mmCIF file of all heavy atoms in Angstrom:
data_model
loop_
_atom_site.group_PDB
_atom_site.id
_atom_site.type_symbol
_atom_site.label_atom_id
_atom_site.label_comp_id
_atom_site.label_asym_id
_atom_site.label_seq_id
_atom_site.Cartn_x
_atom_site.Cartn_y
_atom_site.Cartn_z
ATOM 1 N N VAL A 16 0.855 -1.183 0.013
ATOM 2 C CA VAL A 16 -0.007 -0.006 -0.005
ATOM 3 C C VAL A 16 0.921 1.249 0.006
ATOM 4 O O VAL A 16 1.984 1.177 0.580
ATOM 5 C CB VAL A 16 -0.997 -0.021 1.190
ATOM 6 C CG1 VAL A 16 -0.264 0.107 2.520
ATOM 7 C CG2 VAL A 16 -2.012 1.102 1.069
ATOM 8 N N TYR A 17 0.436 2.272 -0.660
ATOM 9 C CA TYR A 17 1.267 3.459 -0.864
ATOM 10 C C TYR A 17 0.520 4.722 -0.424
ATOM 11 O O TYR A 17 -0.703 4.730 -0.414
ATOM 12 C CB TYR A 17 1.637 3.601 -2.357
ATOM 13 C CG TYR A 17 2.308 2.412 -2.947
ATOM 14 C CD1 TYR A 17 1.580 1.469 -3.702
ATOM 15 C CD2 TYR A 17 3.657 2.149 -2.764
ATOM 16 C CE1 TYR A 17 2.201 0.357 -4.249
ATOM 17 C CE2 TYR A 17 4.261 1.024 -3.268
ATOM 18 C CZ TYR A 17 3.543 0.157 -4.032
ATOM 19 O OH TYR A 17 4.157 -0.963 -4.570
ATOM 20 N N LEU A 18 1.283 5.731 -0.114
ATOM 21 C CA LEU A 18 0.708 7.042 0.160
ATOM 22 C C LEU A 18 1.510 8.056 -0.613
ATOM 23 O O LEU A 18 2.706 8.319 -0.283
ATOM 24 C CB LEU A 18 0.723 7.402 1.669
ATOM 25 C CG LEU A 18 0.027 8.721 2.020
ATOM 26 C CD1 LEU A 18 -1.461 8.626 1.760
ATOM 27 C CD2 LEU A 18 0.348 9.108 3.470
ATOM 28 N N GLN A 19 0.957 8.563 -1.680
ATOM 29 C CA GLN A 19 1.567 9.620 -2.494
ATOM 30 C C GLN A 19 1.232 10.955 -1.848
ATOM 31 O O GLN A 19 0.053 11.252 -1.731
ATOM 32 C CB GLN A 19 1.119 9.585 -3.942
ATOM 33 C CG GLN A 19 1.678 10.686 -4.836
ATOM 34 C CD GLN A 19 3.203 10.547 -4.996
ATOM 35 O OE1 GLN A 19 3.715 9.464 -5.207
ATOM 36 N NE2 GLN A 19 3.872 11.660 -4.939
ATOM 37 N N MET A 20 2.255 11.697 -1.463
ATOM 38 C CA MET A 20 2.038 12.970 -0.793
ATOM 39 C C MET A 20 2.616 14.078 -1.656
ATOM 40 O O MET A 20 3.822 14.109 -1.881
ATOM 41 C CB MET A 20 2.725 12.933 0.617
ATOM 42 C CG MET A 20 2.255 11.763 1.465
ATOM 43 S SD MET A 20 2.967 11.880 3.111
ATOM 44 C CE MET A 20 4.677 11.648 2.821
ATOM 45 N N ASP A 21 1.731 14.926 -2.138
ATOM 46 C CA ASP A 21 2.154 16.094 -2.954
ATOM 47 C C ASP A 21 1.822 17.363 -2.208
ATOM 48 O O ASP A 21 1.034 17.389 -1.287
ATOM 49 C CB ASP A 21 1.402 16.034 -4.279
ATOM 50 C CG ASP A 21 1.753 14.786 -5.082
ATOM 51 O OD1 ASP A 21 2.935 14.390 -5.124
ATOM 52 O OD2 ASP A 21 0.813 14.169 -5.677
ATOM 53 N N SER A 22 2.416 18.446 -2.711
ATOM 54 C CA SER A 22 2.174 19.791 -2.139
ATOM 55 C C SER A 22 2.338 19.762 -0.635
ATOM 56 O O SER A 22 1.477 20.269 0.114
ATOM 57 C CB SER A 22 0.803 20.288 -2.523
ATOM 58 O OG SER A 22 0.662 20.335 -3.943
ATOM 59 N N LEU A 23 3.418 19.176 -0.153
ATOM 60 C CA LEU A 23 3.592 19.003 1.269
ATOM 61 C C LEU A 23 3.773 20.325 1.964
ATOM 62 O O LEU A 23 4.317 21.278 1.419
ATOM 63 C CB LEU A 23 4.845 18.113 1.520
ATOM 64 C CG LEU A 23 4.583 16.617 1.320
ATOM 65 C CD1 LEU A 23 5.840 15.831 1.091
ATOM 66 C CD2 LEU A 23 3.783 16.062 2.526
ATOM 67 N N LYS A 24 3.251 20.373 3.217
ATOM 68 C CA LYS A 24 3.306 21.563 4.040
ATOM 69 C C LYS A 24 4.067 21.215 5.330
ATOM 70 O O LYS A 24 4.188 20.035 5.713
ATOM 71 C CB LYS A 24 1.915 21.998 4.399
ATOM 72 C CG LYS A 24 0.976 22.251 3.206
ATOM 73 C CD LYS A 24 -0.422 22.561 3.696
ATOM 74 C CE LYS A 24 -1.374 22.816 2.484
ATOM 75 N NZ LYS A 24 -2.776 23.119 2.924
ATOM 76 N N THR A 25 4.561 22.254 5.972
ATOM 77 C CA THR A 25 5.310 22.038 7.210
ATOM 78 C C THR A 25 4.447 21.275 8.245
ATOM 79 O O THR A 25 5.002 20.470 9.013
ATOM 80 C CB THR A 25 5.794 23.324 7.803
ATOM 81 O OG1 THR A 25 4.687 24.247 7.957
ATOM 82 C CG2 THR A 25 6.821 24.027 6.867
ATOM 83 N N GLU A 26 3.178 21.530 8.204
ATOM 84 C CA GLU A 26 2.273 20.855 9.204
ATOM 85 C C GLU A 26 2.074 19.379 8.889
ATOM 86 O O GLU A 26 1.407 18.697 9.684
ATOM 87 C CB GLU A 26 0.964 21.603 9.301
ATOM 88 C CG GLU A 26 0.232 21.824 7.980
ATOM 89 C CD GLU A 26 0.484 23.224 7.427
ATOM 90 O OE1 GLU A 26 1.644 23.699 7.482
ATOM 91 O OE2 GLU A 26 -0.502 23.827 6.953
ATOM 92 N N ASP A 27 2.589 18.899 7.763
ATOM 93 C CA ASP A 27 2.511 17.454 7.513
ATOM 94 C C ASP A 27 3.664 16.697 8.176
ATOM 95 O O ASP A 27 3.656 15.448 8.102
ATOM 96 C CB ASP A 27 2.601 17.221 5.999
ATOM 97 C CG ASP A 27 1.408 17.746 5.243
ATOM 98 O OD1 ASP A 27 0.255 17.607 5.737
ATOM 99 O OD2 ASP A 27 1.609 18.343 4.144
ATOM 100 N N THR A 28 4.568 17.429 8.769
ATOM 101 C CA THR A 28 5.665 16.774 9.505
ATOM 102 C C THR A 28 5.115 15.918 10.617
ATOM 103 O O THR A 28 4.316 16.362 11.453
ATOM 104 C CB THR A 28 6.582 17.844 10.098
ATOM 105 O OG1 THR A 28 7.200 18.573 9.028
ATOM 106 C CG2 THR A 28 7.655 17.203 10.967
ATOM 107 N N ALA A 29 5.528 14.669 10.653
ATOM 108 C CA ALA A 29 5.005 13.691 11.616
ATOM 109 C C ALA A 29 5.668 12.321 11.377
ATOM 110 O O ALA A 29 6.359 12.158 10.364
ATOM 111 C CB ALA A 29 3.477 13.556 11.448
ATOM 112 N N VAL A 30 5.449 11.436 12.295
ATOM 113 C CA VAL A 30 5.729 10.037 12.075
ATOM 114 C C VAL A 30 4.493 9.400 11.433
ATOM 115 O O VAL A 30 3.401 9.547 11.956
ATOM 116 C CB VAL A 30 6.149 9.307 13.333
ATOM 117 C CG1 VAL A 30 6.424 7.832 13.028
ATOM 118 C CG2 VAL A 30 7.382 9.934 13.971
ATOM 119 N N TYR A 31 4.706 8.762 10.318
ATOM 120 C CA TYR A 31 3.581 8.145 9.587
ATOM 121 C C TYR A 31 3.596 6.651 9.809
ATOM 122 O O TYR A 31 4.631 5.996 9.685
ATOM 123 C CB TYR A 31 3.723 8.486 8.095
ATOM 124 C CG TYR A 31 3.304 9.871 7.762
ATOM 125 C CD1 TYR A 31 4.084 10.973 8.153
ATOM 126 C CD2 TYR A 31 2.069 10.121 7.094
ATOM 127 C CE1 TYR A 31 3.687 12.248 7.867
ATOM 128 C CE2 TYR A 31 1.678 11.415 6.837
ATOM 129 C CZ TYR A 31 2.489 12.501 7.214
ATOM 130 O OH TYR A 31 2.089 13.782 6.957
ATOM 131 N N TYR A 32 2.405 6.141 10.143
ATOM 132 C CA TYR A 32 2.258 4.729 10.454
ATOM 133 C C TYR A 32 1.316 4.038 9.497
ATOM 134 O O TYR A 32 0.270 4.595 9.095
ATOM 135 C CB TYR A 32 1.689 4.547 11.860
ATOM 136 C CG TYR A 32 2.562 5.044 12.993
ATOM 137 C CD1 TYR A 32 2.467 6.353 13.424
ATOM 138 C CD2 TYR A 32 3.510 4.228 13.598
ATOM 139 C CE1 TYR A 32 3.282 6.828 14.435
ATOM 140 C CE2 TYR A 32 4.310 4.671 14.595
ATOM 141 C CZ TYR A 32 4.175 5.962 15.032
ATOM 142 O OH TYR A 32 5.023 6.446 16.052
ATOM 143 N N CYS A 33 1.655 2.825 9.156
ATOM 144 C CA CYS A 33 0.779 2.019 8.328
ATOM 145 C C CYS A 33 -0.020 1.064 9.242
ATOM 146 O O CYS A 33 0.492 0.514 10.165
ATOM 147 C CB CYS A 33 1.639 1.181 7.348
ATOM 148 S SG CYS A 33 0.677 0.135 6.267
ATOM 149 N N LEU A 34 -1.303 0.943 8.945
ATOM 150 C CA LEU A 34 -2.201 0.103 9.665
ATOM 151 C C LEU A 34 -2.734 -0.980 8.757
ATOM 152 O O LEU A 34 -3.242 -0.699 7.655
ATOM 153 C CB LEU A 34 -3.371 0.916 10.248
ATOM 154 C CG LEU A 34 -4.524 0.079 10.802
ATOM 155 C CD1 LEU A 34 -4.095 -0.649 12.082
ATOM 156 C CD2 LEU A 34 -5.719 0.959 11.078
ATOM 157 N N LYS A 35 -2.685 -2.202 9.232
ATOM 158 C CA LYS A 35 -3.325 -3.340 8.607
ATOM 159 C C LYS A 35 -4.481 -3.751 9.493
ATOM 160 O O LYS A 35 -4.282 -3.964 10.678
ATOM 161 C CB LYS A 35 -2.320 -4.459 8.405
ATOM 162 C CG LYS A 35 -2.923 -5.821 8.123
ATOM 163 C CD LYS A 35 -1.849 -6.902 8.191
ATOM 164 C CE LYS A 35 -2.336 -8.274 8.481
ATOM 165 N NZ LYS A 35 -1.244 -9.239 8.604
ATOM 166 N N ARG A 36 -5.668 -3.805 8.926
ATOM 167 C CA ARG A 36 -6.824 -4.188 9.710
ATOM 168 C C ARG A 36 -7.426 -5.470 9.100
ATOM 169 O O ARG A 36 -8.015 -5.453 8.005
ATOM 170 C CB ARG A 36 -7.865 -3.068 9.709
ATOM 171 C CG ARG A 36 -9.095 -3.375 10.537
ATOM 172 C CD ARG A 36 -9.967 -2.178 10.688
ATOM 173 N NE ARG A 36 -9.349 -1.164 11.532
ATOM 174 C CZ ARG A 36 -9.724 0.115 11.599
ATOM 175 N NH1 ARG A 36 -10.725 0.529 10.907
ATOM 176 N NH2 ARG A 36 -9.100 0.934 12.443
ATOM 177 N N PHE A 37 -7.247 -6.532 9.846
ATOM 178 C CA PHE A 37 -7.790 -7.826 9.437
ATOM 179 C C PHE A 37 -7.671 -8.747 10.633
ATOM 180 O O PHE A 37 -6.595 -9.100 11.053
ATOM 181 C CB PHE A 37 -6.978 -8.397 8.295
ATOM 182 C CG PHE A 37 -7.519 -9.721 7.737
ATOM 183 C CD1 PHE A 37 -8.654 -9.734 6.948
ATOM 184 C CD2 PHE A 37 -6.888 -10.923 7.993
ATOM 185 C CE1 PHE A 37 -9.145 -10.915 6.465
ATOM 186 C CE2 PHE A 37 -7.356 -12.122 7.508
ATOM 187 C CZ PHE A 37 -8.523 -12.109 6.694
ATOM 188 N N ASN A 38 -8.843 -9.042 11.203
ATOM 189 C CA ASN A 38 -8.847 -9.807 12.465
ATOM 190 C C ASN A 38 -7.990 -9.103 13.488
ATOM 191 O O ASN A 38 -7.263 -9.782 14.290
ATOM 192 C CB ASN A 38 -8.322 -11.256 12.257
ATOM 193 C CG ASN A 38 -9.251 -12.075 11.415
ATOM 194 O OD1 ASN A 38 -10.423 -11.847 11.331
ATOM 195 N ND2 ASN A 38 -8.704 -13.057 10.695
ATOM 196 N N GLY A 39 -8.149 -7.808 13.549
ATOM 197 C CA GLY A 39 -7.364 -7.061 14.526
ATOM 198 C C GLY A 39 -6.607 -5.946 13.837
ATOM 199 O O GLY A 39 -6.585 -5.872 12.595
ATOM 200 N N ASN A 40 -6.022 -5.059 14.577
ATOM 201 C CA ASN A 40 -5.263 -3.931 14.088
ATOM 202 C C ASN A 40 -3.748 -4.244 14.238
ATOM 203 O O ASN A 40 -3.318 -4.604 15.370
ATOM 204 C CB ASN A 40 -5.567 -2.667 14.799
ATOM 205 C CG ASN A 40 -6.950 -2.136 14.375
ATOM 206 O OD1 ASN A 40 -7.477 -2.434 13.347
ATOM 207 N ND2 ASN A 40 -7.516 -1.325 15.285
#
């Protein structure tokens, strides 16, 4: 799974986490 991030802003600064949801998180 991908996340294409364009026109990034300073407020997008963060730790980004991937979640898989299937019989639990």
Side-chain angles (χ1 to χ4, degrees):
V16 65
Y17 305 99
L18 184 68
Q19 178 65 42
M20 305 186 294
D21 298 318
S22 301
L23 281 160
K24 304 176 181 179
T25 55
E26 52 263 44
D27 294 318
T28 295
V30 178
Y31 284 71
Y32 296 90
C33 180
L34 168 69
K35 163 188 156 183
R36 180 171 292 165
F37 184 75
N38 293 334
N40 288 338

